[in-house]
Amino acid sequence: MKEKIIKKASELFLKLGFKSITMDDIACEMCISKKTIYKYFRNKEILIEESTAVIHKEVHEIIDSIIAKNHNAIEENFEIRKMFKDMFKSSDASPIYQLKKYYPEIYHNVMSREIDQCSQCFRDNIEKGIREKLYREDLDIEIYVKFYYTLIFHINENTSSEREAQKIELEALEYHTRAMATPAGILELEKQLKKFTTY
């Protein structure tokens, strides 16, 4: 039952935001009493903490499965972007924005986990792109990891609308890729942009 509550709560939090969803909403959606939820979770904050941990794990499992498909570095980034677009397509409010605004302590814990994993993911992608001659050989990898990380998380933290955040993140991905790309990389980028806008 605990896992079921976390699963349903995670879906609702991602769709409608951490602030908007109440324990009553979750109980109602699951056709259970609020008392049942409180049996497993002392308060909403604990449920949010456990839900964000599950969401974090699921997101990184999907990212790992995309990386395992062995796309080239640029296509890989666009496939990951598409995964986020699909995951949050029914959201109006940005979940990250709401988390930071209303639950700063939980947000801080989530971000401290994300920094290491995302930075490693960005680093691996840049190294792969250099090997594939899609990114320039002379890049200072650590600086580009920081640039991209700062861009993406700044967008998420400061944009309340999920749709707007998605749009700006796609622009950030194009900006990041153009800054690193070789002529072959630019061709691949144009191909991916064309493909992405048809999704």
Side-chain angles (χ1 to χ4, degrees):
M1 180 51 87
K2 186 179 180 182
E3 280 70 30
K4 283 181 183 169
I5 295 168
I6 291 172
K7 190 175 186 309
K8 179 50 74 180
S10 301
E11 283 170 20
L12 293 171
F13 289 145
L14 287 183
K15 190 175 176 181
L16 300 163
F18 291 98
K19 176 69 175 163
S20 323
I21 292 297
T22 64
M23 297 298 236
D24 280 317
D25 295 329
I26 297 161
C28 190
E29 276 282 323
M30 294 185 73
C31 302
I32 59 174
S33 72
K34 203 159 67 164
K35 204 169 137 191
T36 308
I37 298 178
Y38 282 113
K39 188 175 142 189
Y40 298 98
F41 306 97
R42 201 168 62 248
N43 54 42
K44 186 180 169 184
E45 282 74 12
I46 290 169
L47 179 53
I48 289 174
E49 264 177 46
E50 297 212 25
S51 297
T52 53
V54 167
I55 294 163
H56 169 88
K57 186 170 174 285
E58 281 175 6
V59 163
H60 285 281
E61 279 169 3
I62 299 169
I63 289 173
D64 288 344
S65 73
I66 291 170
I67 291 168
K69 287 180 181 164
N70 223 9
H71 299 292
N72 68 58
I74 294 173
E75 186 174 14
E76 181 177 281
N77 277 339
F78 275 87
E79 287 297 315
I80 290 169
R81 175 96 324 272
K82 183 179 179 291
M83 178 268 293
F84 279 113
K85 185 182 177 188
D86 292 344
M87 190 175 241
F88 297 111
K89 68 177 170 222
S90 57
S91 306
D92 291 326
S94 164
I96 298 277
Y97 177 86
Q98 280 208 359
L99 199 60
K100 185 188 179 192
K101 188 171 179 184
Y102 300 108
Y103 303 97
E105 202 173 308
I106 299 172
Y107 170 82
H108 180 73
N109 294 339
V110 168
M111 284 302 113
S112 59
R113 279 198 305 260
E114 284 296 334
I115 287 169
D116 293 340
Q117 271 187 289
C118 286
S119 295
Q120 191 55 53
C121 194
F122 298 159
R123 194 175 293 115
D124 292 346
N125 179 269
I126 294 171
E127 287 168 355
K128 181 181 189 177
I130 291 171
R131 285 195 305 274
E132 294 170 337
K133 306 208 178 320
L134 294 172
Y135 301 151
R136 292 179 286 111
E137 278 181 15
D138 61 347
L139 297 176
D140 184 325
I141 295 173
E142 290 311 308
I143 285 179
Y144 276 84
V145 166
K146 282 196 180 80
F147 278 166
Y148 192 49
Y149 180 84
T150 306
L151 264 177
I152 290 297
F153 284 93
H154 182 79
I155 292 163
N156 275 293
E157 288 174 354
N158 296 288
T159 312
S160 59
S161 156
E162 182 57 34
R163 187 172 284 121
E164 193 188 340
Q166 294 278 349
K167 186 177 174 294
I168 305 170
E169 278 182 43
L170 180 60
E171 296 280 346
L173 176 56
E174 180 183 351
Y175 177 81
H176 172 67
T177 310
R178 281 192 194 281
M180 300 190 296
T182 59
I186 295 289
L187 289 173
E188 181 60 30
L189 171 64
E190 298 295 348
K191 183 177 133 191
Q192 292 304 322
L193 283 167
K194 211 169 280 176
K195 203 166 94 180
F196 196 85
T197 52
T198 62
Y199 283 136

